[in-house]
Amino acid sequence: CPAGVSIAVFVEPPPVLELAQSPFICASGTVVLNNSNQVDVTYTWTPPTFLDDPSSANPASSATQDITYHVVAQGLNCSSEGDVTVKYYNASVNAGPDQLVCAGADATLTATVTGNTGTLTWSPPDVVGNTIVVSPDTFQTYAVELEYGEGCRAYDTVTVDIIPLPLLNFNPNTNICLGASVPLTLPPNGPGAYQWSPATGLNNPNIPNPIATPTDTITYTVMATNQNCPVGGSITVYVASADVNV
């Protein structure tokens, strides 16, 4: 008589690994290496360098260099293996020292990059490049953004402040009679230091608004300086004399 034997064969699928695709870290970040987690599976990651838990299904790497990890996921009878390479990017940008410029002058701003190179963008005025030339009318803060690696960003700022030029508000009426006096400037004046020449006929050649009492028509020149920002000019005093015959 025939006899039969039946055998049940159970196929165990290997553990599933959902490894991170092209992971990268910017500066001091972290990245998770695997997105799957199964019960009755043990995970071994090598090397353990920079990992928060090399036996976790989903370890986080805080690598500070390019590194390749190998993982073995061991089930009850089957296993799966895989590799993950983490790219590391690190860079910083320096917008340069804060600047003081004379009113009306340009300021040249130059950013320097340390680490990975990338694209520099200044704002304002939304210009790409290492160096920009700006001419602000008032105090202004400029920001520079470095985009590097795979979407990594670094930032810095620099300020430009304005030194006002001395004001020379010349007197529009400098026709005088012999023996009369006239102020060479009218309010407002300043700020800064003033030097008038020649000093002939002036009550004080080192103030913004000297009084002139010349005996002949004369042209005075002035140089005014505020924190190394100079401005100059000149003014002529016309002296009229009258001859009287008796």
Side-chain angles (χ1 to χ4, degrees):
C1 297
V5 177
S6 62
I7 300 175
V9 178
F10 296 96
V11 178
E12 176 186 330
V16 176
L17 290 173
E18 297 179 5
L19 301 178
Q21 299 298 308
S22 304
F24 63 90
I25 293 175
C26 298
S28 58
T30 61
V31 65
V32 176
L33 303 182
N34 180 45
N35 295 316
S36 63
N37 188 2
Q38 295 176 266
V39 297
D40 298 325
V41 175
T42 59
Y43 297 85
T44 304
W45 294 85
T46 55
T49 311
F50 306 118
L51 297 182
D52 60 346
D53 184 356
S55 62
S56 168
N58 318 108
S61 172
S62 56
T64 56
Q65 65 188 49
D66 293 350
I67 188 170
T68 297
Y69 294 101
H70 183 74
V71 59
V72 176
Q74 180 64 57
L76 295 177
N77 298 291
C78 303
S79 65
S80 297
E81 298 185 34
D83 294 308
V84 181
T85 297
V86 177
K87 292 286 293 182
Y88 176 71
Y89 301 100
N90 188 22
S92 62
V93 58
N94 187 331
D98 295 337
Q99 296 192 33
L100 272 173
V101 298
C102 302
D106 294 336
T108 300
L109 308 180
T110 300
T112 56
V113 175
T114 301
N116 296 111
T117 59
T119 301
L120 289 167
T121 303
W122 290 90
S123 61
D126 195 24
V127 172
V128 175
N130 289 67
T131 300
I132 62 171
V133 178
V134 296
S135 303
D137 296 325
T138 59
F139 177 89
Q140 179 70 56
T141 299
Y142 296 90
V144 61
E145 176 191 83
L146 169 66
E147 184 175 356
Y148 66 99
E150 300 178 51
C152 303
R153 286 175 170 82
Y155 305 88
D156 197 21
T157 59
V158 62
T159 62
V160 178
D161 204 357
I162 306 302
I163 301 172
L165 296 177
L167 179 62
L168 291 175
N169 189 24
F170 289 118
N171 188 346
N173 185 12
T174 55
N175 296 301
I176 63 173
C177 296
L178 181 63
S181 299
V182 63
L184 297 185
T185 63
L186 300 176
N189 291 288
Y194 289 73
Q195 179 65 55
W196 294 83
S197 64
T200 305
L202 299 182
N203 66 328
N204 189 338
N206 300 313
I207 60 176
N209 54 343
I211 303 299
T213 313
T215 57
D216 293 293
T217 296
I218 187 173
T219 296
Y220 294 101
T221 61
V222 61
M223 180 59 67
T225 304
N226 182 33
Q227 300 184 57
N228 295 321
C229 294
V231 63
S234 63
I235 184 173
T236 300
V237 178
Y238 300 92
V239 179
S241 61
D243 295 327
V244 179
N245 294 320
V246 178

